[in-house]
């Protein structure tokens, strides 16, 4: 394997909505993060403000973690949804979390918003989060790093579970017409994991995951990789 290098982020991560945007709408928060009709209105407002050619959903990086059972503080127009309380006290409990149900909750609302926007011929970028960003919602990261060193076989099972969940999410998104998928996992970057663990994670999760993504998406779908992952 070649050297893994870090990428220093200069782009401000999307968390909350700027007052310039929220002031131009009559939206109420956090409702706009939770109901598909309001998500559509907010996504179009963000698109117009940024003079972009596409809409972006969701407006945070907590969606998958919440759908797996995580506790979320939905925030307001200034601070977007974020983790509230950890629901797992060890990595084995991650394996017992229920599968994502795409018929209910905020993840279902996001997919409804994506479908509506695509039916209106809007390009939609759906942000999906990698394993460390998801686990950061569910469990204290200290237990994850400890397990990677002490019980890598358990962490492999956790990675496999999260891989299956993300592949299902991508398939659900594809079924409602999403044509742009953006993947990021900033909390699993080289600057946090270090070289040895980063290489381990690439072999355990990242490389096999994207080989499966490559097989599952259509030729009309573009997958965008965060530079921290691409590097």
């Amino acid at each position: 394997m070649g050297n893994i290098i870090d990428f220093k982020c200069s782009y401000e991560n999307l968390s909350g909505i700027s007052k310039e945007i929220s002031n131009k709408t009559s939206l109420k928060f956090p409702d706009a993060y939770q109901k598909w009709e309001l998500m559509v209105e907010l996504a179009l407002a963000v698109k117009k403000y940024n003079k972009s050619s596409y809409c972006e959903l969701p407006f945070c990086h907590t969606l998958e973690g919440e759908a797996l059972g995580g506790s979320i503080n939905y925030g307001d127009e200034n601070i977007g949804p974020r983790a509230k309380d950890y629901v797992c006290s060890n990595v084995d409990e991650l394996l017992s979390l229920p599968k994502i149900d795409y018929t209910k909750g905020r993840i279902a609302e996001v997919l409804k918003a994506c479908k509506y926007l695509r039916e209106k011929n809007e390009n939609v970028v759906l942000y999906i989060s990698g394993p460390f960003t998801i686990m950061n919602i569910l469990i204290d990261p200290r237990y994850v790093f400890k397990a990677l060193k002490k019980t890598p076989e358990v962490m492999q099972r956790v990675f496999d579970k999260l891989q299956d969940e993300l592949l299902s999410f991508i398939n659900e998104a594809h079924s409602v017409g999403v044509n742009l998928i953006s993947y990021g996992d900033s909390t699993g970057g080289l600057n946090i994991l270090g070289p040895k663990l980063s290489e381990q994670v690439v072999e355990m999760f990242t490389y096999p995951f994207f080989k499966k993504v490559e097989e599952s998406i259509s030729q009309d779908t573009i997958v965008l990789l965060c530079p921290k992952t691409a590097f």
Side-chain angles (χ1 to χ4, degrees):
M1 178 180 289
N3 291 333
I4 300 175
I5 60 178
D6 194 21
F7 177 84
K8 295 183 179 180
C9 297
S10 59
Y11 180 79
E12 184 178 355
N13 289 329
L14 189 61
S15 182
I17 301 297
S18 70
K19 289 185 177 180
E20 290 85 351
I21 297 175
S22 60
N23 288 341
K24 292 179 183 295
T25 72
S26 59
L27 294 171
K28 302 296 183 182
F29 293 86
D31 287 353
Y33 299 133
Q34 298 171 282
K35 299 177 181 179
W36 76 265
E37 302 97 326
L38 303 183
M39 291 179 190
V40 166
E41 186 177 344
L42 183 54
L44 290 171
V46 172
K47 175 192 173 185
K48 182 177 180 181
Y49 179 81
N50 291 334
K51 298 179 181 179
S52 178
S53 60
Y54 51 82
C55 294
E56 305 169 59
L57 286 167
F59 307 107
C60 67
H61 301 288
T62 64
L63 186 66
E64 299 94 337
E66 180 189 26
L68 284 165
S71 176
I72 301 297
N73 181 334
Y74 288 109
D76 52 31
E77 66 270 24
N78 298 311
I79 302 176
R82 58 201 183 278
K84 187 176 182 181
D85 299 305
Y86 295 129
V87 296
C88 295
S89 56
N90 60 69
V91 294
D92 291 285
E93 292 179 0
L94 292 171
L95 295 169
S96 300
L97 293 173
K99 286 183 173 292
I100 294 176
D101 184 345
Y102 295 99
T103 67
K104 65 181 183 179
R106 188 158 57 106
I107 200 163
E109 296 296 301
V110 168
L111 290 169
K112 289 176 186 176
C114 290
K115 181 178 181 180
Y116 178 88
L117 288 166
R118 287 297 291 141
E119 289 175 347
K120 297 299 181 181
N121 294 319
E122 295 284 351
N123 291 313
V124 177
V125 174
L126 178 67
Y127 291 102
I128 65 172
S129 298
F132 287 92
T133 300
I134 295 173
M135 288 188 288
N136 199 41
I137 305 298
L138 303 167
I139 187 172
D140 189 319
R142 291 178 298 173
Y143 299 127
V144 174
F145 296 139
K146 181 179 179 180
L148 276 168
K149 295 178 180 179
K150 301 289 187 179
T151 56
E153 69 283 356
V154 176
M155 281 307 304
Q156 183 63 70
R157 291 170 61 202
V158 172
F159 282 139
D160 290 346
K161 174 182 174 63
L162 295 178
Q163 180 183 119
D164 289 343
E165 295 291 353
L166 287 174
L167 287 169
S168 294
F169 189 23
I170 290 172
N171 288 333
E172 292 289 335
H174 188 263
S175 71
V176 297
V178 170
N179 56 335
L180 298 164
I181 294 171
S182 179
Y183 174 94
D185 197 21
S186 60
T187 55
L190 176 65
N191 59 317
I192 296 175
L193 298 182
K196 186 175 181 180
L197 282 182
S198 291
E199 182 173 344
Q200 183 179 347
V201 170
V202 167
E203 294 175 345
M204 294 174 71
F205 178 87
T206 315
Y207 180 78
F209 172 65
F210 279 107
K211 291 300 289 184
K212 291 181 179 179
V213 170
E214 185 178 32
E215 295 170 359
S216 66
I217 61 173
S218 70
Q219 293 183 345
D220 298 327
T221 304
I222 296 174
V223 178
L224 312 168
L225 295 185
C226 163
K228 279 187 174 291
T229 299
F231 279 20

